[in-house]
């Protein structure tokens, strides 16, 4: 018998999960954040349903503070896939002008956590695919592929359903919704290797290029547009930088790098000793911060 | 860390393309680690991640900080903290859920299901084991084989894991003592055999010190096996290669982008498929031919177990989610009543007779579970009587479904024999099940009230139905007398039938031997047959030694009052042995024949037989007349 490689096995497992949800959920949606994990998840969805178009829309819970390059790819990716793209921006956050420079963690709470809950409620989606992976962070390691959220979208780590074999129980009560993580078992290296092998389009920001930067609080930030308020004495400096993870540009730290191709990125990733999420400001507070955020409804 | 398996770092730096080429061809192995905090399980996993460079610098900093704050290793790194994920657990110092970890070596990518060891987490272990190819059973070298070791091994075996590693951990704490290790291995070996584990690989190691993890330890020169990682890397995953590999794929989703295309999407559960193969759709049984195997990367010539594909069929036939596409020859069974093992996973106990949702493959049906035939003690493996199953209980139950489902026994095919039960109200997954076999149609039929009853049958024959139960030692003359009785009854126009011991053992009971248990079963079956024939209005003659009073009583109790006539053919042992028509006593005396009644197996003479025939004072002919008179009188 031919032995499938680990990437083949991961791909087949993810496709199986995507199809189970499409078959059993009433109104599924794919949360699309434009990052590399979303890119892989979208690619897997195309494969799962080929020659059909994936039978659900893409949804981006937008903060208005993403990198320009991300907005560009977002439109193109949806168009290429032939899928409907829903963009949701929390109107309350918009009205109050919530931004990462002035509002700290409220920015994430309102745009992302609240924004996501609103979007799911407004459209009545009962199952939402997300691109989280178990190797990202310790509390993720214990999350199920099918993660049930109560009325307030809260995650209760103690009452997770056992997942046996490849049998997923997608039955839910009236006010429950499901977050489904089809790439749970992929590692960061798997994601990069798969992007490389399958030639998946990703945001160019992952590749190194000369970009305007400032150093602030130990983080190398990119001045992506004119909304970036410069402090006294701060002057954007052109540096060869790239991003290991993408979010809101004022919250996402870059690394100086000469890696301009995928193999070089992978090489750099494998030789580097700093884990992926360190580039994100959100996790630094405390050891259990991610777990808390998830209990509150953060994806 | 200069261990050979992690040399890839040089390759990454020098030739990333070559490294990527190597990585892309890696296979995957999923394993489960079983043990408790005390066995050093989290430490072992932490060590595997640490040694394979799966810990980044910032994580390491947090780890070092946490180790000093809450660690149990003083100033040293507490690897356990790496993997004890949820805040609640970290405070309690126990792992309460299944966590999945990842690491890779030069040869393989690994997914580790890390599960807690206490009995109250049986369901978590079963969950983790359900996707594992291998189990690592951890034992603390300072201790003996504990109850929990037995439980973990039993559960791993129950879930069908064929590859078992016995990791004797904390060897550093017993000064790497070989004798103590050998004792544990030999004790385990004895136990493993008892529960049916055919083989296992013992490895002495220390998760804390890293002995025999990534490379062979200098501290144990007496150990001639390989390190844990080498064992995992080189293991041939024995998937279900012994079983027939006929194609099976459950249809997940019908792919209909337009009116001209109709494809069936699913993940191949078993076997291989080639365009042009003949297939059968179950449960309908309709046959057709595979037209194409479609993927986004182009049509495939051939697809194998594990792949997710979309196939098209030559003919337009009904096929939808829940149907199973299988090789046309040798299809799996379709049935609606099964014997299964159930692992109960909900706080609320099982309710026999209640309808649960059952998901098996992509089939979702309604299923009723009967009271357990027995519950299995996960620690002692004894069968115990039970009326229900509670959280973490394991039992064997009959299950009936409202629709016929396509399945294969779990031992042959995990994907088509494993199922979950879902509570219809709470929607919780309440049980995991493994099908043993379908129950036969005969057992499938409920007892029917019949209009033409025993009396009616007998009236037509103008006789009273009777069972003439002859009992006595071998060679006492039972068959001879019974034969004569039947001839006389026949001559009188009576409808009769003679069930003879030797004849029945050639057919109905040819699977039974002569142990006490088999003798009991032999008589039980004959009693049932006699009862059915009596019900049919016949006069039945049975000629069996039937040595035990209890079984003759059981037969009597099956019949109506007065129908059962026990006839003791009373021939003393010496005389029966003198006659020895079949030469059996001689064989028994010489020890050639075991469990022979009267010699080395007891005969319990009847206390209140209806008729006693003394063959030392009465001829066979006289005895037969006595009996016929009694029956017709």
């Amino acid at each position: 018998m031919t032995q499938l490689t680990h990437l083949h096995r991961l791909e087949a497992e993810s496709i199986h999960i995507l199809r189970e949800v499409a078959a059993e959920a009433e109104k599924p949606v794919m949360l699309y954040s434009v990052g590399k994990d979303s890119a892989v998840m979208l690619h897997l969805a195309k494969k799962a349903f080929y020659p059909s178009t994936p039978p659900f829309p893409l949804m981006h819970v937008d903060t208005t503070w993403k990198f320009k390059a991300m907005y560009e790819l977002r439109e193109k990716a949806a168009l290429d896939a032939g899928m409907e793209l829903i963009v949701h921006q929390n109107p309350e956050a918009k009205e109050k002008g919530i931004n990462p420079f002035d509002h700290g963690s409220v920015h994430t709470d309102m745009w992302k956590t609240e924004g996501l809950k609103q979007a799911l409620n407004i459209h009545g989606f009962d199952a939402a695919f997300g691109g989280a992976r178990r190797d990202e962070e310790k509390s993720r390691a214990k999350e199920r592929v099918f993660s049930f959220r109560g009325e307030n979208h809260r995650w209760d780590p103690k009452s997770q359903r056992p997942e046996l074999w490849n049998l997923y129980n997608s039955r839910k009560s009236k006010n429950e919704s499901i977050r489904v993580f089809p790439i749970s078992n992929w590692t960061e290296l798997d994601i990069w290797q798969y992007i490389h092998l399958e030639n998946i389009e990703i945001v160019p920001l992952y590749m190194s290029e000369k970009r305007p930067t400032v150093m602030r609080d130990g983080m190398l930030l990119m001045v992506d547009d004119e909304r970036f308020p410069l402090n006294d004495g701060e002057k954007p400096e052109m540096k060869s930088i790239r991003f290991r993870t993408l979010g809101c540009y004022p919250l996402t730290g870059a690394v100086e790098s000469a890696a301009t191709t995928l193999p070089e990125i992978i090489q750099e990733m494998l030789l580097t000793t700093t884990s992926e999420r360190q580039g994100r400001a959100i996790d630094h507070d405390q050891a259990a911060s991610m777990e808390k955020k998830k209990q509150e409804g953060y994806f | 860390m200069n261990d050979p398996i992690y040399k890839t770092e040089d390759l990454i730096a020098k030739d990333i393309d070559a490294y990527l080429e190597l990585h892309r061809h890696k296979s995957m192995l999923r394993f489960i680690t079983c043990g408790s905090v005390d066995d050093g399980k989290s430490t072992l996993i932490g060590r595997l991640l640490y040694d394979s460079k799966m810990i980044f610098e910032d994580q390491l900093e947090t780890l070092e900080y946490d180790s000093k704050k809450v660690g149990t290793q003083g100033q040293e790194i507490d690897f356990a903290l790496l993997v004890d994920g949820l805040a609640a657990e970290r405070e309690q110092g126990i792992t309460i859920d299944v966590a999945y970890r990842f690491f890779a070596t030069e040869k393989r990518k690994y997914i580790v299901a890390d599960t807690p060891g206490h009995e109250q987490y049986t369901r978590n272990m079963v969950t983790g084991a359900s996707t594992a190819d291998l189990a690592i059973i951890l034992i603390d070298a300072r201790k003996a084989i504990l109850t929990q070791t037995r439980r973990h091994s039993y559960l791993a075996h129950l879930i069908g894991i064929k590859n078992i590693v016995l990791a004797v951990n904390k060897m550093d704490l017993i000064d790497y003592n070989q004798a103590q290790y050998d004792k544990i291995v030999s004790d385990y070996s004895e136990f493993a055999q008892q529960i049916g584990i055919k083989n296992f690989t013992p490895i002495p190691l220390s998760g804390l010190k890293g002995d025999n993890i990534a490379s062979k330890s200098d501290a144990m020169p007496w150990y001639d096996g390989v390190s844990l990682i080498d064992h995992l890397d080189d293991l041939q995953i024995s998937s279900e290669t012994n079983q027939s590999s006929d194609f099976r794929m459950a249809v997940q989703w019908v792919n209909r982008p337009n009116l001209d295309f109709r494809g069936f999407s699913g993940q191949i559960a078993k076997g291989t498929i080639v365009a042009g193969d003949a297939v059968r759709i179950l449960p309908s049984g309709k046959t057709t031919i595979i037209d194409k195997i479609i993927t986004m990367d182009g049509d495939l010539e051939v697809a194998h177990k594990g792949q997710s594909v979309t196939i098209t069929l030559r003919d337009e036939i009904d096929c939808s989610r829940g149907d199973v596409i299988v090789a046309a020859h040798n299809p799996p069974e379709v049935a609606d009543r099964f014997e299964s093992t159930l692992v109960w996973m909900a706080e609320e106990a099982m309710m026999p007779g209640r309808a649960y949702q059952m998901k098996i493959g992509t089939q979702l049906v309604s299923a009723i579970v009967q009271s357990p035939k027995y519950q299995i003690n996960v620690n002692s493996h004894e069968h115990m009587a039970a009326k229900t199953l509670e959280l973490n209980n394991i039992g064997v139950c009959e299950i009936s479904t409202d629709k016929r489902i396509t399945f294969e026994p779990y031992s042959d095919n995990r994907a088509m024999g494993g199922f979950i039960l879902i509570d219809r109200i709470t929607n919780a997954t309440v049980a995991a099940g493994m099908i043993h076999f379908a129950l036969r149609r005969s057992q499938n039929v409920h007892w029917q009230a019949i209009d033409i009853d025993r009396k009616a049958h007998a009236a037509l024959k103008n006789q009273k139905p009777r069972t003439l139960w002859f009992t006595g030692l071998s060679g006492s003359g039972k068959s001879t007398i019974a034969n004569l009785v039947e001839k006389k009854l026949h001559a009188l126009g009576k409808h009769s039938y003679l069930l003879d011991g030797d004849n029945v053992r050639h057919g109905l009971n040819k699977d039974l031997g002569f142990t006490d248990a088999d003798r009991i079963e032999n008589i039980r079956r004959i009693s049932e047959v006699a009862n059915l024939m009596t019900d049919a209005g016949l006069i039945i003659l049975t000629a069996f030694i039937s040595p035990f009073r209890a079984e003759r009583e059981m037969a009597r109790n099956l019949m109506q009052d007065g129908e059962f006539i026990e006839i003791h053919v009373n021939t003393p042992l010496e005389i029966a042995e003198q006659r020895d028509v079949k030469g059996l006593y001689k064989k028994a005396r010489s020890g050639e024949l075991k469990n022979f009644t009267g010699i080395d197996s007891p005969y319990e003479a009847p206390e209140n037989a209806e008729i006693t025939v003394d063959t030392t004072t009465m001829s066979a002919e006289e005895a037969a007349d006595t009996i016929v008179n009694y029956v017709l009188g």
Side-chain angles (χ1 to χ4, degrees), chain A residues 118-181:
Chain A
Q118 284 172 356
L120 294 173
N121 289 341
I122 290 168
H123 297 277
F125 292 123
D126 61 342
F129 293 109
R133 307 189 319 268
R134 284 170 172 157
D135 79 325
E136 279 179 87
E137 191 264 335
K138 272 191 284 192
S139 83
R140 290 267 194 231
K142 304 202 170 186
E143 184 147 8
R144 303 287 191 259
V145 173
F146 279 51
S147 185
F148 287 77
R149 305 300 164 98
E151 195 158 4
N152 297 313
H153 299 273
R154 287 180 74 99
W155 182 58
D156 178 3
K158 292 227 167 111
S159 67
Q160 301 197 83
R161 292 179 183 173
E163 281 174 355
L164 294 118
W165 302 289
N166 62 353
L167 295 176
Y168 300 100
N169 170 5
S170 67
R171 288 175 62 91
K172 60 196 174 304
S173 310
K174 200 148 193 211
N175 294 316
E176 277 182 325
S177 63
I178 322 175
R179 312 290 162 89
V180 182
F181 305 111

Side-chain angles (χ1 to χ4, degrees), chain A residues 2 6 12 16 20 24 47 49-50 52 138 141-142 144 163 165 168-169 190 193 267 273 275 291, chain B residues 12 20 23 26 57-58 87 89 97 100 109 127 130 252 255 297 304 308 321 359 410 427 429:
Chain A
T2 335
H6 72 288
H16 172 83
E20 279 299 285
E24 294 197 338
K47 283 196 166 191
F49 304 101
Y50 177 87
S52 293
K138 272 191 284 192
K142 304 202 170 186
R144 303 287 191 259
E163 281 174 355
W165 302 289
Y168 300 100
N169 170 5
D190 298 331
Q193 175 121 42
Q267 186 175 37
T273 48
S275 79
E291 190 180 338
Chain B
I12 294 168
L20 289 176
H23 181 71
K26 282 177 190 171
E57 198 173 80
D58 57 331
E89 301 174 23
D97 209 307
Y100 296 90
K109 168 176 166 156
T127 301
S130 72
Q252 275 191 286
N255 197 333
D297 306 314
H304 304 280
S308 285
R321 179 174 167 88
K359 186 170 183 184
Y410 183 79
N427 294 317
T429 302

